Amino acid sequence: MTSFTNKYVLSLLRNLPRLSISNLRNNDGAVKKHKRGRAQHGGDKHGHGNKGSKARQNFMRPGYETGNTPFYMKFPREQYYKDHHVKRQYPPLSLTSLQKMIDLNRIDISKPIDLSVLCNTGLYNINPEDKHFGVNLIDEGADNFKAKINIEVQWASEPTIAAIERNGGVITTSFFDVNSLFILINPKKFFQRGEAIPRRMIPPDDAILYYSSAANRGYLADPEKISWERFVLAQKYGYKLPKIEDDPDYDMLVSRKDQRQIFYGLEPGWVVNLKDKVILKPIDPQLKEFYRS
């Protein structure tokens, strides 16, 4: 048995190829061959060869410099543009444009004005997909603004607040999340879906201070502090602050939304049926507790 095995092994060795320099090689991938390729595979022209229309015509993407380090990558990034794609934007609306909407009867000043009213005029619009989070009421035309209104915006400067309150009006800055913004822009589309009105979310951490400040007329601020800031602003800009308590439109001027409310007069959890023209309210105690602010 042993002699047979030895003969078999010897015959196998005779048939195997001899180990020599000619049959020695490295493992696959151990050595990388540095040979010149064509076009983007190793050439020096990167797909745009010597002369000709292809080399001269600009078929490359903007900023591509045929293999060289692009100009915009040779310098450090400007910190001003850091996180620009996630910053909240507030498209401006001037007091001149707002006065024009009122003069053209696009807005009824006998009722509170919010983002839904402004978008339904057809003269102002926002797009939440472009990081728009509401309206920024700017002070252009503050000297010519004469309307007495109760308006809710998302951002406002000090001269704008003074121009509104000088005429006996009220201004409030409030935050709306993305879902609430889509509902406010097109309420009819939302009501046709037959869904319950959701709760408005609270502001994020970087915006909670702005909407809690009485100087900014934030909707989360203390009403007593807002009254004091109204008096301080009137003293600063030199106008006599009208008394809201003696105004015939007192109920309209003091009307404000709840912190979780999206529409005036409609609470979270209600379902608006446009076809039957009825409003369905939840009766389950758990739902009432869920939608309660």
Side-chain angles (χ1 to χ4, degrees), residues 108-252:
D108 185 9
I109 61 175
S110 63
K111 299 179 181 179
I113 302 171
D114 60 353
L115 183 61
S116 178
V117 176
L118 295 175
C119 292
N120 288 331
T121 60
L123 303 177
Y124 181 82
N125 193 21
I126 64 171
N127 187 11
E129 296 179 352
D130 295 336
K131 305 300 180 182
H132 294 173
F133 276 79
V135 55
N136 177 17
L137 192 61
I138 60 177
D139 57 350
E140 180 183 350
D143 297 335
N144 300 324
F145 188 77
K146 303 301 180 182
K148 181 180 64 176
I149 57 176
N150 179 7
I151 187 169
E152 179 192 63
V153 297
Q154 282 62 60
W155 202 272
S157 60
E158 187 179 83
T160 303
I161 297 174
I164 297 293
E165 295 178 350
R166 181 183 57 195
N167 299 321
V170 177
I171 183 171
T172 307
T173 57
S174 61
F175 175 82
F176 289 93
D177 56 285
V178 177
N179 187 28
S180 301
L181 287 172
F182 278 110
I183 296 173
L184 273 174
I185 293 172
N186 194 348
K188 182 179 179 181
K189 182 178 180 181
F190 172 76
F191 293 151
Q192 288 176 346
R193 297 207 303 255
E195 299 179 2
I197 301 175
R199 299 179 300 173
R200 183 180 11 165
M201 298 292 101
I202 61 175
D205 296 338
D206 57 344
I208 192 71
L209 292 178
Y210 180 85
Y211 294 106
S212 301
S213 173
N216 300 325
R217 306 301 186 266
Y219 74 112
L220 300 177
D222 188 0
E224 295 183 358
K225 294 182 179 180
I226 292 179
S227 300
W228 171 252
E229 291 293 339
R230 284 170 54 89
F231 174 75
V232 172
L233 192 62
Q235 295 294 321
K236 180 178 180 180
Y237 283 84
Y239 59 87
K240 183 178 180 181
L241 185 65
K243 292 184 179 180
I244 300 179
E245 295 79 4
D246 301 335
D247 197 288
D249 299 327
Y250 173 77
D251 294 336
M252 183 272 294

